[in-house]
Amino acid sequence: MTDLSLLQILLANLALLAGACLQGVAGYGIGTLAAPLLFLISPMLIPAPLVLNAVVLTILMLLRNRGALQVREVRFAIGGGVGGMILAGITLMLISPTGFELAFGILILIGVLLSAGGLRPALNARNSILAGAASTYMGTITAVGGPPIALIYQNEKGPLVRANMSAFFLVASFFSIAALLVSGYLGQRELQLFAVTFPGVLIGFWLSGKLVNRMPFDGLRPVILGIAAIAGVAALVRGLMSL
């Protein structure tokens, strides 16, 4: 069926629960937190099963925060996402499994550096296009698309962040699914893995509704980035050892 043990499925659900809860509170985080953990559990869980789970989560979040949505601001990021989708599809068609591990590790570490680097770009059309392209590219290959788009929303208020980023992630996730289908990274096995792991997302989303005004996201950032950095290094080491 899924080629995973019961323990691996349980751990994957717990990782997705934590990531979905974080995204429900902060507006992003399921990729940054869950993708590195899922990679350590089994590389088969990345990227397609996590991207499919992200679609479910972003739909739920968009429904919850729809009152704060400002479509005009999101359209530029979505436009940039088209370019990111095309580049990601080409990349996936060209790289080998070893190359994928190397790309995963490098892009995860880039995401960590973006999150920890202290950059504060303005929320404008040019930066939205660039962030949308980078986020969709990274999200398609690693399922970690949050850091680039989060940079331009870091000074905005919570409801706006959660609504606008959910709208972007929903469209970007469909871009990613299209690229994964064309490049052969989304098939029956990935759908089965999604089916056994999405309960964790549903529970995490429900839990985020209870914690949305209580969870100290800033205090959790070093832990999340540390986990991501460890997984990025692990992917690089695995890829280099396979050369």
Side-chain angles (χ1 to χ4, degrees):
M1 286 290 289
T2 64
D3 297 323
L4 294 185
S5 68
L6 185 60
L7 176 60
Q8 286 175 306
I9 292 172
L10 176 60
L11 290 174
N13 274 274
L14 289 174
L16 286 163
L17 186 158
C21 183
L22 177 64
Q23 183 149 323
V25 172
Y28 81 102
I30 186 170
T32 309
L33 178 58
L37 294 174
L38 292 175
F39 180 83
L40 294 174
I41 294 167
S42 171
M44 288 190 296
L45 294 162
I46 301 295
L50 179 50
V51 171
L52 293 171
N53 274 301
V55 171
V56 173
L57 178 61
T58 49
I59 290 173
L60 293 173
M61 285 191 60
L62 197 54
L63 290 173
R64 178 195 280 173
N65 299 287
R66 61 189 179 276
L69 178 62
Q70 295 183 13
V71 176
R72 186 176 179 181
E73 290 188 359
V74 183
R75 60 182 177 171
F76 295 108
I78 291 173
V82 176
M85 169 191 67
I86 294 170
L87 288 174
I90 293 171
T91 301
L92 289 173
M93 285 190 284
L94 294 177
I95 61 176
S96 64
T98 297
F100 175 81
E101 291 188 342
L102 291 172
F104 180 90
I106 291 169
L107 290 174
I108 288 287
L109 293 176
I110 289 174
V112 171
L113 292 174
L114 287 174
S115 296
L119 296 175
R120 292 186 175 274
L123 179 56
N124 57 36
R126 184 196 64 183
N127 289 339
S128 293
I129 291 170
L130 292 173
S135 185
T136 305
Y137 181 82
M138 292 176 62
T140 302
I141 295 176
T142 68
V144 183
I149 200 72
L151 284 176
I152 63 172
Y153 277 99
Q154 60 187 306
N155 296 320
E156 306 301 319
K157 295 182 179 179
L160 173 67
V161 172
R162 288 189 288 269
N164 280 19
M165 289 182 66
S166 295
F168 168 75
F169 284 137
L170 180 59
V171 178
S173 293
F174 283 113
F175 287 164
S176 296
I177 288 170
L180 291 168
L181 275 170
V182 171
S183 59
Y185 277 76
L186 175 54
Q188 183 177 352
R189 184 185 69 178
E190 287 73 25
L191 291 173
Q192 291 172 341
L193 290 169
F194 162 65
V196 297
T197 55
F198 86 91
V201 168
L202 297 181
I203 298 171
F205 174 75
W206 172 82
L207 187 60
S208 72
K210 309 293 182 182
L211 300 175
V212 69
N213 295 316
R214 302 178 186 178
M215 183 180 288
F217 178 65
D218 287 339
L220 293 173
R221 280 190 69 198
V223 177
I224 296 166
L225 295 179
I227 293 171
I230 291 170
V233 172
L236 278 177
V237 171
R238 285 176 56 148
L240 291 170
M241 289 179 66
S242 300
L243 290 176

